[in-house]
């Protein structure tokens, strides 16, 4: 990488999952610009499926995320089961 300093032992996380996580964070900020009581946690459909019902969640439907061509299934952890 041009201009990057190499640090031995440093780890870099790249890929689609990190991109989706960043886009979900931006979506969360747009959904509620003034933070409500508690913290919202948004999940994509694949992550929600992996939870297999172990945590209560609410589907927000298929939403467009910035920088993504296709809509993504979005869920939020539901603090009130």
């Amino acid at each position: 990488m041009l201009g990057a300093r190499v640090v031995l032992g440093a780890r870099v996380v790249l890929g689609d999952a990190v991109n989706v996580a960043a886009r979900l964070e931006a979506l969360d900020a747009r959904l509620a610009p003034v933070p409500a009581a508690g913290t919202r946690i948004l999940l994509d459909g694949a992550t929600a499926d992996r939870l297999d019902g172990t945590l209560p969640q609410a589907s927000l439907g298929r939403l467009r995320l910035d920088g993504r061509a296709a809509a993504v299934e979005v869920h939020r952890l539901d603090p009130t089961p």
Side-chain angles (χ1 to χ4, degrees):
M1 295 183 346
L2 183 61
R5 184 170 38 149
V6 176
V7 178
L8 294 178
R11 301 285 186 245
V12 177
V13 180
L14 298 174
D16 192 53
V18 174
N19 187 321
V20 170
R23 305 303 182 179
L24 287 172
E25 185 177 19
L27 172 66
D28 184 51
R30 285 195 321 268
L31 290 176
V34 177
T39 300
R40 293 169 314 278
I41 299 174
L42 298 182
L43 313 166
D44 70 339
T47 303
D49 289 345
R50 287 189 189 119
L51 290 175
D52 197 28
T54 57
L55 296 172
Q57 22 178 308
S59 174
L60 300 179
R62 295 188 64 78
L63 302 177
R64 293 290 310 245
L65 300 179
D66 292 339
R68 307 275 307 173
V72 174
E73 181 69 29
V74 178
H75 297 253
R76 71 172 169 81
L77 290 186
D78 191 355
T80 55

